[in-house]
């Protein structure tokens, strides 16, 4: 959180009583009005010229038993992604040290699991402890966790847990059949109860409608407190997944969704997540104007390409943006 613009307690702009109808009326605003409103709110909580850079490592890739239609790591889809075992702790920590030395202050580790086994959790806890000892914040995304597992992660010092709702409850069964929306919400509750900060968002461009986007944002914005981080991913269409060949999303609809997320959750960090590889500088600039305050950096996301450092440095230079970690967020403001 940018200290200069630190939010007030009990801020009336941070509401938890949003309805999908209200979200739809925000989507219907003329583009300039929508962006102006989102950018005005963004400036009350964040420095608009600073963008947080998060580093991401896939610590266990592919072979996932879930059938998420968008995901190259599902064993249901023939995508050519090779399944690996969980990386050993020392190798992960060596990678984390390189990221820290390159300036990273938050380190995110992803595993292609439906849910972690307790033995695997031992190793992940050692990774979290190691990342924390290097002075970085730790974030993991491991699939579904029980309250006991969330407690263990919290005790290891975990700062953030990433678990996305991905879309609306009604569109969800068209994308995933191996777990329910309620399963997803249960994990989020377990994470929250353990005192871990929540990173939760979704994907656009899967064939969902405007109402699905409005409903997903309403579900997120009626959580109390709001998720501290809200990643908005543009679908990366991967060959061999059922969503390959879906109609491409209108890029301006992606920008609108970032703006509506910012208006509904103004004190949260909205992250421009997957999909940047195929976005122009101009589109990314519009996303920052709409209130995106964070990106993933590095040449790879989990399995797909991300713009490399050279492109991001050039982009930030063109926009006068300073890339940095914007520090811990206080939950009482969300
Ligand atoms: N297995 C864990 C889970 O599903 O929570 C963690 C890893 S999973 C790959 C993390 C998130 O990446 C998903 O929830 C989804 O939002 C996003 N994601 C996966 N494949 C994607 C794709 N092709 N395009 C955009 N986002 C994607
Ligand atoms: C999130 O919402 N996006 C990131 C992160 N959380 C873990 C992952 C994007 C994955 C894109 C597809 C891939 O690279 O495999
Ligand atoms: Fe598995 Fe996560 Fe991919 Fe779904 S999104 S198939 S749970 S790795």
């Amino acid at each position: 959180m940018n200290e200069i613009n630190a939010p007030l307690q009990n801020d009336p702009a941070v509401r938890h009583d949003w309805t999908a109808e209200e979200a739809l009326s925000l989507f219907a605003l003329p583009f300039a009005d929508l962006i102006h409103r989102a950018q005005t709110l963004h400036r009350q909580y964040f420095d608009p010229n600073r963008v947080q850079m998060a580093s991401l490592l896939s610590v266990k890739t592919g072979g996932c038993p879930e059938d998420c239609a968008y995901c190259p790591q599902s064993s249901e889809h023939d995508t050519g992604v090779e399944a690996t075992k969980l990386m050993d702790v020392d190798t992960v920590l060596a990678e984390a040290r390189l990221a820290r030395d390159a300036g990273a202050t938050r380190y995110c580790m992803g595993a292609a699991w439906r849910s972690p086994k307790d033995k695997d959790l031992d190793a992940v806890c050692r990774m979290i402890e190691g990342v924390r000892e290097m002075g970085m914040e730790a974030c993991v995304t491991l699939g579904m966790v029980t309250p006991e597992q969330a407690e263990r992660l919290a005790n290891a010092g975990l700062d953030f847990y990433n678990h996305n709702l991905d879309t609306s409850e009604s569109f969800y069964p068209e994308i995933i059949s191996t777990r329910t929306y309620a399963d997803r919400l249960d994990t989020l509750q377990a994470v929250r109860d353990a005192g871990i900060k929540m990173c939760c968002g979704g994907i656009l461009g899967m064939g969902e409608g405007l109402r699905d986007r409005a409903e997903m944002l309403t579900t997120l914005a009626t959580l109390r407190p709001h998720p501290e981080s809200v990643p908005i991913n543009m679908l990366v269409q991967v060959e061999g997944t059922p969503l390959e060949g879906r109609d491409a999303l209108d890029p301006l609809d992606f920008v609108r969704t970032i703006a509506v997320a910012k208006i509904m959750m103004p004190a949260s960090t909205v992250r421009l997540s997957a999909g940047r590889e195929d976005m122009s500088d101009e589109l990314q600039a519009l996303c920052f104007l709409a209130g995106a305050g964070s990106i993933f950096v590095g040449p790879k996301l989990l399995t797909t390409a991300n713009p490399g450092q050279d492109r991001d440095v050039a982009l930030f230079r063109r926009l006068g943006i300073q890339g940095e970690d914007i520090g811990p967020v206080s939950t009482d403001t969300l």
Side-chain angles (χ1 to χ4, degrees):
M1 183 67 54
N2 168 9
E3 305 243 313
I4 313 161
N5 297 329
L8 301 170
Q9 301 284 331
N10 302 319
D11 184 338
V14 179
R15 291 175 42 201
H16 302 86
D17 59 351
W18 291 97
T19 64
E21 300 312 317
E22 281 180 285
L24 281 168
S25 61
L26 290 172
F27 275 105
L29 284 172
F31 191 74
D33 292 347
L34 176 65
I35 301 301
H36 176 67
R37 217 166 132 179
Q39 172 68 199
T40 304
L41 274 165
H42 186 51
R43 283 170 181 261
Q44 287 174 24
Y45 299 91
F46 298 93
D47 181 332
N49 302 312
R50 291 182 184 183
V51 169
Q52 176 199 39
M53 300 184 299
S55 288
L56 186 58
L57 177 69
S58 180
V59 297
K60 194 269 165 217
T61 308
C64 183
E66 303 268 23
D67 68 354
C68 313
Y70 49 78
C71 187
Q73 303 197 70
S74 165
S75 56
E76 296 274 311
H77 320 318
D78 197 1
T79 60
V81 169
E82 208 187 307
T84 66
K85 289 201 175 111
L86 179 63
M87 285 169 75
D88 69 67
V89 177
D90 290 344
T91 312
V92 171
L93 294 182
E95 292 278 344
R97 200 164 291 112
L98 288 176
R100 196 267 319 264
D101 293 346
T105 48
R106 182 173 305 168
Y107 202 65
C108 308
M109 295 167 280
W113 286 323
R114 172 174 165 79
S115 53
K117 295 191 189 75
D118 286 335
K119 179 173 79 60
D120 291 327
L121 213 61
D122 294 340
V124 172
C125 286
R126 280 187 278 130
M127 292 171 192
I128 293 166
E129 284 157 6
V131 165
R132 294 292 313 248
E133 276 163 22
M134 287 175 209
M136 289 189 286
E137 287 187 314
C139 170
V140 297
T141 176
L142 314 171
M144 293 183 279
V145 290
T146 62
E148 294 71 31
Q149 290 179 320
E151 202 60 51
R152 287 190 58 199
L153 291 167
N155 290 337
L158 184 66
D159 296 284
F160 284 85
Y161 196 86
N162 168 237
H163 201 64
N164 291 337
L165 287 178
D166 283 338
T167 190
S168 68
E169 185 168 11
S170 50
F171 191 64
Y172 193 86
E174 304 206 17
I175 300 297
I176 300 155
S177 78
T178 47
R179 55 166 196 254
T180 64
Y181 213 64
D183 290 333
R184 227 50 194 167
L185 290 165
D186 286 348
T187 289
L188 291 169
Q189 191 60 50
V191 164
R192 210 26 127 197
D193 290 345
I196 300 166
K197 286 179 270 217
M198 193 191 281
C199 171
C200 184
I203 309 181
L204 307 186
M206 300 192 292
E208 76 287 346
L210 187 57
R211 176 166 279 276
D212 294 305
R213 291 175 206 142
E215 286 177 4
M216 177 186 78
L217 292 180
T218 304
T219 305
L220 292 171
T222 50
L223 293 173
R224 235 174 235 279
H226 291 158
E228 285 80 358
S229 288
V230 181
I232 304 292
N233 296 278
M234 169 91 93
L235 175 70
V236 180
Q237 295 201 8
V238 178
E239 211 180 313
T241 60
L243 297 188
E244 184 195 2
R246 283 278 145 124
D247 285 346
L249 182 71
D250 177 344
L252 293 182
D253 285 343
F254 186 81
V255 179
R256 280 180 185 281
T257 309
I258 290 200
V260 175
K262 175 50 54 172
I263 293 168
M264 295 173 79
M265 295 167 280
S268 301
T269 300
V270 177
R271 181 173 300 119
L272 165 56
S273 297
R276 291 199 306 116
E277 175 72 355
D278 295 323
M279 291 182 195
S280 66
D281 280 7
E282 292 76 10
L283 175 55
Q284 294 184 66
L286 281 175
C287 292
F288 296 134
L289 260 182
S294 174
I295 58 169
F296 283 116
V297 292
K300 201 155 106 176
L301 290 164
L302 293 172
T303 66
T304 63
N306 197 41
Q309 198 188 15
D310 291 356
R311 221 185 119 190
D312 283 342
V313 166
L315 170 67
F316 281 10
R317 194 165 290 147
R318 277 185 90 189
L319 300 176
I321 284 175
Q322 194 184 330
E324 63 172 43
D325 188 278
I326 47 182
V329 180
S330 155
T331 302
D332 6 313
T333 59
L334 299 169

